[in-house]
Amino acid sequence: MTTHKIALLAGDGIGPEIMTQAEKLLAAVESRGKVKFELMPALFGASAWFEVGHSLPQETLDICDSADAILKGTIGLNHEDTEKIPVEERPERAGLLPLRKHLDTYANFRPVYLPAGLKHFSPLKPEIIGDGIDIMIIRELVGGLYFGDKQLGTDETGQRYAIETLEYTEFQIERILRVAFETAQKRKGVLHNIHKSNVLKSSVLWNEILNDIKDEYSNVKVEHMLVDAAATYLCLNPGQFDVMVMENMMGDILSDQGGGILGSLGLMPSACIGPNKAYYEPSHGSAPDIAGQNVANPYSMLGSVAMMLEYSFGMKTESQEIFDAMEALFVEGVTTPDLKQPGVDNKMISTDEFGDRVAAALS
Ligand code: NAD
Ligand code: IPM
Ligand code: MN
């Protein structure tokens, strides 16, 4: 029987409670006797910093390197607690970004998905949603504004200044665009290229490279859209989008807006894919405001497990079954509090109960 080794980086805030649900789900899938999972928990995030002085300890990197796939919870603290950690050692800057760079997980798939039967969760009017929302945001994850040269200084007049540079090489742009074209070919053949070429040189280069390669994908129709307009159209007409591709920071912002049009960040799983390794994480943060209360929505985490089963282990059937089980729960009228509809008598369910029910469906 095949054994898949999975590094588990539970992290901070709601990370450990939603990771517990992921472990129950993996145990349920394992109980079917088709595959075995070897789970390798590792310290990561602010909790690692407080425990061993590093947000991404070397031992954790070694565990990730030896794993077949990596499942990550969430990292980060609230504003006040974040300030207790030196800027350069904080978990986002010293943990998550170096992990992404180390694994070279340049292609971040963030599905924004809401079937028609769940459109009541969305703050958008039902007639705007139509048959549901089904968008794949593809975010470049290891370049752009996040990874360019950064400086803080004071000029000759005593003014403090900051410089951040948005850097991309041709290689980096071409590989993410190829992923986007290939994804569009497998879906509806429409690719929205999101950019800011009216201001940014990096977008001019991005679009030039897209032009250079687009004829290789003649069955894909490319639509160009400026990022600010895209933010509006995500609210006004999400149905026009199928696959969207964009720079790192643009993807950070628009994917959270994706959670907004679904009704909760709790509905946002993701896959971060590199040439040799992939890791899977909810798109949302550590939700310090609700951590430890057993109320977090584990859908994003369990959906990330589903994406791992499909993308890393080729278990497409089980992956679909997980999404179906979660949808069935919602259709029954069961929700975690983030999705409670005002004035509707939803049956509230805890993080643990949600995890138990999805695991039971997969047993
Ligand atoms: P957040 O995503 O943690 O929370 C924003 C809002 O969404 C909060 O009200 C939160 O309660 C809610 N929310 C998020 N996930 C939820 C879930 N699964 N169920 C129910 N409600 C949920 O964003 P934030 O508050 O801006 O950031 C908190 C911390 O998380 C920061 O330290 C930030 O740097 C970090 N962060 C980490 C990641 C990551 O690990 N990949 C991603 C984003 C933010
Ligand atoms: C995300 C997060 C991260 C990002 C932070 C925590 C560094 O917001 O995964 O979307 O900005 O990429
Ligand atoms: Mn984000």
Side-chain angles (χ1 to χ4, degrees), residues 300-319:
S300 304
M301 185 80 243
L302 300 178
S304 300
V305 171
M307 292 181 86
M308 175 180 74
L309 294 184
E310 179 182 348
Y311 290 36
S312 281
F313 307 144
M315 299 172 74
K316 196 168 168 43
T317 308
E318 290 79 0
S319 174

PDB file of all heavy atoms in Angstrom, residues 300-319:
ATOM      1  N   SER A 300     -12.115  25.762   4.826  1.00  0.00           N
ATOM      2  CA  SER A 300     -10.909  26.113   4.043  1.00  0.00           C
ATOM      3  C   SER A 300      -9.790  25.100   4.281  1.00  0.00           C
ATOM      4  O   SER A 300      -9.042  24.754   3.368  1.00  0.00           O
ATOM      5  CB  SER A 300     -10.406  27.509   4.417  1.00  0.00           C
ATOM      6  OG  SER A 300     -11.397  28.478   4.249  1.00  0.00           O
ATOM      7  N   MET A 301      -9.675  24.648   5.525  1.00  0.00           N
ATOM      8  CA  MET A 301      -8.629  23.668   5.868  1.00  0.00           C
ATOM      9  C   MET A 301      -8.953  22.306   5.246  1.00  0.00           C
ATOM     10  O   MET A 301      -8.094  21.665   4.632  1.00  0.00           O
ATOM     11  CB  MET A 301      -8.548  23.554   7.398  1.00  0.00           C
ATOM     12  CG  MET A 301      -7.446  22.669   7.899  1.00  0.00           C
ATOM     13  SD  MET A 301      -5.858  23.506   7.888  1.00  0.00           S
ATOM     14  CE  MET A 301      -4.940  22.529   6.738  1.00  0.00           C
ATOM     15  N   LEU A 302     -10.208  21.874   5.393  1.00  0.00           N
ATOM     16  CA  LEU A 302     -10.590  20.560   4.853  1.00  0.00           C
ATOM     17  C   LEU A 302     -10.577  20.593   3.321  1.00  0.00           C
ATOM     18  O   LEU A 302     -10.208  19.610   2.663  1.00  0.00           O
ATOM     19  CB  LEU A 302     -11.972  20.151   5.386  1.00  0.00           C
ATOM     20  CG  LEU A 302     -12.042  20.033   6.925  1.00  0.00           C
ATOM     21  CD1 LEU A 302     -13.459  19.660   7.380  1.00  0.00           C
ATOM     22  CD2 LEU A 302     -11.034  19.016   7.447  1.00  0.00           C
ATOM     23  N   GLY A 303     -10.941  21.743   2.763  1.00  0.00           N
ATOM     24  CA  GLY A 303     -10.850  21.899   1.301  1.00  0.00           C
ATOM     25  C   GLY A 303      -9.400  21.842   0.846  1.00  0.00           C
ATOM     26  O   GLY A 303      -9.092  21.351  -0.243  1.00  0.00           O
ATOM     27  N   SER A 304      -8.489  22.341   1.691  1.00  0.00           N
ATOM     28  CA  SER A 304      -7.064  22.262   1.348  1.00  0.00           C
ATOM     29  C   SER A 304      -6.588  20.805   1.389  1.00  0.00           C
ATOM     30  O   SER A 304      -5.759  20.390   0.577  1.00  0.00           O
ATOM     31  CB  SER A 304      -6.228  23.129   2.305  1.00  0.00           C
ATOM     32  OG  SER A 304      -6.640  24.485   2.226  1.00  0.00           O
ATOM     33  N   VAL A 305      -7.119  20.032   2.336  1.00  0.00           N
ATOM     34  CA  VAL A 305      -6.826  18.587   2.354  1.00  0.00           C
ATOM     35  C   VAL A 305      -7.314  17.961   1.043  1.00  0.00           C
ATOM     36  O   VAL A 305      -6.610  17.175   0.395  1.00  0.00           O
ATOM     37  CB  VAL A 305      -7.511  17.888   3.556  1.00  0.00           C
ATOM     38  CG1 VAL A 305      -7.380  16.362   3.453  1.00  0.00           C
ATOM     39  CG2 VAL A 305      -6.943  18.389   4.875  1.00  0.00           C
ATOM     40  N   ALA A 306      -8.531  18.345   0.643  1.00  0.00           N
ATOM     41  CA  ALA A 306      -9.095  17.791  -0.604  1.00  0.00           C
ATOM     42  C   ALA A 306      -8.207  18.145  -1.791  1.00  0.00           C
ATOM     43  O   ALA A 306      -7.939  17.303  -2.661  1.00  0.00           O
ATOM     44  CB  ALA A 306     -10.514  18.327  -0.816  1.00  0.00           C
ATOM     45  N   MET A 307      -7.728  19.398  -1.819  1.00  0.00           N
ATOM     46  CA  MET A 307      -6.859  19.800  -2.938  1.00  0.00           C
ATOM     47  C   MET A 307      -5.543  19.012  -2.909  1.00  0.00           C
ATOM     48  O   MET A 307      -5.019  18.615  -3.939  1.00  0.00           O
ATOM     49  CB  MET A 307      -6.599  21.314  -2.897  1.00  0.00           C
ATOM     50  CG  MET A 307      -7.863  22.121  -3.190  1.00  0.00           C
ATOM     51  SD  MET A 307      -7.605  23.917  -3.192  1.00  0.00           S
ATOM     52  CE  MET A 307      -7.055  24.213  -4.882  1.00  0.00           C
ATOM     53  N   MET A 308      -5.041  18.756  -1.702  1.00  0.00           N
ATOM     54  CA  MET A 308      -3.810  17.957  -1.575  1.00  0.00           C
ATOM     55  C   MET A 308      -4.047  16.544  -2.117  1.00  0.00           C
ATOM     56  O   MET A 308      -3.213  15.999  -2.863  1.00  0.00           O
ATOM     57  CB  MET A 308      -3.365  17.901  -0.109  1.00  0.00           C
ATOM     58  CG  MET A 308      -2.179  16.991   0.136  1.00  0.00           C
ATOM     59  SD  MET A 308      -1.690  16.950   1.864  1.00  0.00           S
ATOM     60  CE  MET A 308      -2.994  15.951   2.572  1.00  0.00           C
ATOM     61  N   LEU A 309      -5.172  15.940  -1.736  1.00  0.00           N
ATOM     62  CA  LEU A 309      -5.444  14.573  -2.203  1.00  0.00           C
ATOM     63  C   LEU A 309      -5.486  14.534  -3.727  1.00  0.00           C
ATOM     64  O   LEU A 309      -4.955  13.625  -4.359  1.00  0.00           O
ATOM     65  CB  LEU A 309      -6.779  14.061  -1.622  1.00  0.00           C
ATOM     66  CG  LEU A 309      -6.828  13.862  -0.106  1.00  0.00           C
ATOM     67  CD1 LEU A 309      -8.170  13.264   0.311  1.00  0.00           C
ATOM     68  CD2 LEU A 309      -5.691  12.978   0.391  1.00  0.00           C
ATOM     69  N   GLU A 310      -6.099  15.566  -4.317  1.00  0.00           N
ATOM     70  CA  GLU A 310      -6.193  15.569  -5.786  1.00  0.00           C
ATOM     71  C   GLU A 310      -4.851  15.914  -6.446  1.00  0.00           C
ATOM     72  O   GLU A 310      -4.357  15.168  -7.290  1.00  0.00           O
ATOM     73  CB  GLU A 310      -7.263  16.575  -6.248  1.00  0.00           C
ATOM     74  CG  GLU A 310      -7.345  16.590  -7.771  1.00  0.00           C
ATOM     75  CD  GLU A 310      -8.345  17.579  -8.353  1.00  0.00           C
ATOM     76  OE1 GLU A 310      -9.170  18.127  -7.590  1.00  0.00           O
ATOM     77  OE2 GLU A 310      -8.269  17.801  -9.580  1.00  0.00           O
ATOM     78  N   TYR A 311      -4.261  17.039  -6.042  1.00  0.00           N
ATOM     79  CA  TYR A 311      -3.090  17.551  -6.772  1.00  0.00           C
ATOM     80  C   TYR A 311      -1.821  16.755  -6.459  1.00  0.00           C
ATOM     81  O   TYR A 311      -1.007  16.523  -7.343  1.00  0.00           O
ATOM     82  CB  TYR A 311      -2.836  19.021  -6.432  1.00  0.00           C
ATOM     83  CG  TYR A 311      -3.822  20.047  -6.955  1.00  0.00           C
ATOM     84  CD1 TYR A 311      -5.183  19.790  -7.040  1.00  0.00           C
ATOM     85  CD2 TYR A 311      -3.385  21.304  -7.350  1.00  0.00           C
ATOM     86  CE1 TYR A 311      -6.083  20.756  -7.484  1.00  0.00           C
ATOM     87  CE2 TYR A 311      -4.274  22.282  -7.803  1.00  0.00           C
ATOM     88  CZ  TYR A 311      -5.624  22.000  -7.865  1.00  0.00           C
ATOM     89  OH  TYR A 311      -6.496  22.959  -8.294  1.00  0.00           O
ATOM     90  N   SER A 312      -1.638  16.369  -5.196  1.00  0.00           N
ATOM     91  CA  SER A 312      -0.382  15.683  -4.858  1.00  0.00           C
ATOM     92  C   SER A 312      -0.487  14.174  -4.938  1.00  0.00           C
ATOM     93  O   SER A 312       0.491  13.505  -5.234  1.00  0.00           O
ATOM     94  CB  SER A 312       0.079  16.068  -3.437  1.00  0.00           C
ATOM     95  OG  SER A 312       0.705  17.327  -3.456  1.00  0.00           O
ATOM     96  N   PHE A 313      -1.685  13.618  -4.645  1.00  0.00           N
ATOM     97  CA  PHE A 313      -1.781  12.158  -4.559  1.00  0.00           C
ATOM     98  C   PHE A 313      -2.716  11.543  -5.607  1.00  0.00           C
ATOM     99  O   PHE A 313      -2.985  10.338  -5.568  1.00  0.00           O
ATOM    100  CB  PHE A 313      -2.240  11.733  -3.146  1.00  0.00           C
ATOM    101  CG  PHE A 313      -1.397  12.313  -2.029  1.00  0.00           C
ATOM    102  CD1 PHE A 313      -1.972  12.686  -0.819  1.00  0.00           C
ATOM    103  CD2 PHE A 313      -0.025  12.502  -2.196  1.00  0.00           C
ATOM    104  CE1 PHE A 313      -1.200  13.228   0.204  1.00  0.00           C
ATOM    105  CE2 PHE A 313       0.754  13.039  -1.180  1.00  0.00           C
ATOM    106  CZ  PHE A 313       0.166  13.407   0.023  1.00  0.00           C
ATOM    107  N   GLY A 314      -3.253  12.379  -6.506  1.00  0.00           N
ATOM    108  CA  GLY A 314      -4.100  11.858  -7.587  1.00  0.00           C
ATOM    109  C   GLY A 314      -5.407  11.237  -7.111  1.00  0.00           C
ATOM    110  O   GLY A 314      -6.002  10.419  -7.806  1.00  0.00           O
ATOM    111  N   MET A 315      -5.881  11.632  -5.918  1.00  0.00           N
ATOM    112  CA  MET A 315      -7.108  11.038  -5.375  1.00  0.00           C
ATOM    113  C   MET A 315      -8.297  11.967  -5.629  1.00  0.00           C
ATOM    114  O   MET A 315      -8.888  12.539  -4.721  1.00  0.00           O
ATOM    115  CB  MET A 315      -6.931  10.761  -3.870  1.00  0.00           C
ATOM    116  CG  MET A 315      -5.793   9.787  -3.599  1.00  0.00           C
ATOM    117  SD  MET A 315      -5.393   9.623  -1.848  1.00  0.00           S
ATOM    118  CE  MET A 315      -6.785   8.653  -1.263  1.00  0.00           C
ATOM    119  N   LYS A 316      -8.654  12.087  -6.904  1.00  0.00           N
ATOM    120  CA  LYS A 316      -9.676  13.043  -7.316  1.00  0.00           C
ATOM    121  C   LYS A 316     -11.064  12.677  -6.757  1.00  0.00           C
ATOM    122  O   LYS A 316     -11.837  13.537  -6.357  1.00  0.00           O
ATOM    123  CB  LYS A 316      -9.722  13.084  -8.848  1.00  0.00           C
ATOM    124  CG  LYS A 316     -10.447  14.286  -9.395  1.00  0.00           C
ATOM    125  CD  LYS A 316     -10.205  14.430 -10.896  1.00  0.00           C
ATOM    126  CE  LYS A 316     -11.113  15.428 -11.565  1.00  0.00           C
ATOM    127  NZ  LYS A 316     -11.345  16.672 -10.887  1.00  0.00           N
ATOM    128  N   THR A 317     -11.344  11.381  -6.719  1.00  0.00           N
ATOM    129  CA  THR A 317     -12.670  10.954  -6.237  1.00  0.00           C
ATOM    130  C   THR A 317     -12.858  11.348  -4.777  1.00  0.00           C
ATOM    131  O   THR A 317     -13.865  11.943  -4.395  1.00  0.00           O
ATOM    132  CB  THR A 317     -12.796   9.409  -6.365  1.00  0.00           C
ATOM    133  OG1 THR A 317     -12.442   9.076  -7.703  1.00  0.00           O
ATOM    134  CG2 THR A 317     -14.181   8.932  -6.047  1.00  0.00           C
ATOM    135  N   GLU A 318     -11.863  11.021  -3.943  1.00  0.00           N
ATOM    136  CA  GLU A 318     -11.962  11.337  -2.515  1.00  0.00           C
ATOM    137  C   GLU A 318     -12.029  12.863  -2.316  1.00  0.00           C
ATOM    138  O   GLU A 318     -12.764  13.360  -1.463  1.00  0.00           O
ATOM    139  CB  GLU A 318     -10.756  10.774  -1.762  1.00  0.00           C
ATOM    140  CG  GLU A 318     -10.719   9.255  -1.647  1.00  0.00           C
ATOM    141  CD  GLU A 318     -10.243   8.526  -2.911  1.00  0.00           C
ATOM    142  OE1 GLU A 318      -9.926   9.216  -3.912  1.00  0.00           O
ATOM    143  OE2 GLU A 318     -10.206   7.283  -2.898  1.00  0.00           O
ATOM    144  N   SER A 319     -11.264  13.581  -3.128  1.00  0.00           N
ATOM    145  CA  SER A 319     -11.264  15.029  -3.041  1.00  0.00           C
ATOM    146  C   SER A 319     -12.682  15.571  -3.281  1.00  0.00           C
ATOM    147  O   SER A 319     -13.204  16.391  -2.513  1.00  0.00           O
ATOM    148  CB  SER A 319     -10.282  15.588  -4.080  1.00  0.00           C
ATOM    149  OG  SER A 319     -10.342  16.975  -4.126  1.00  0.00           O
TER     150      SER A 319
END
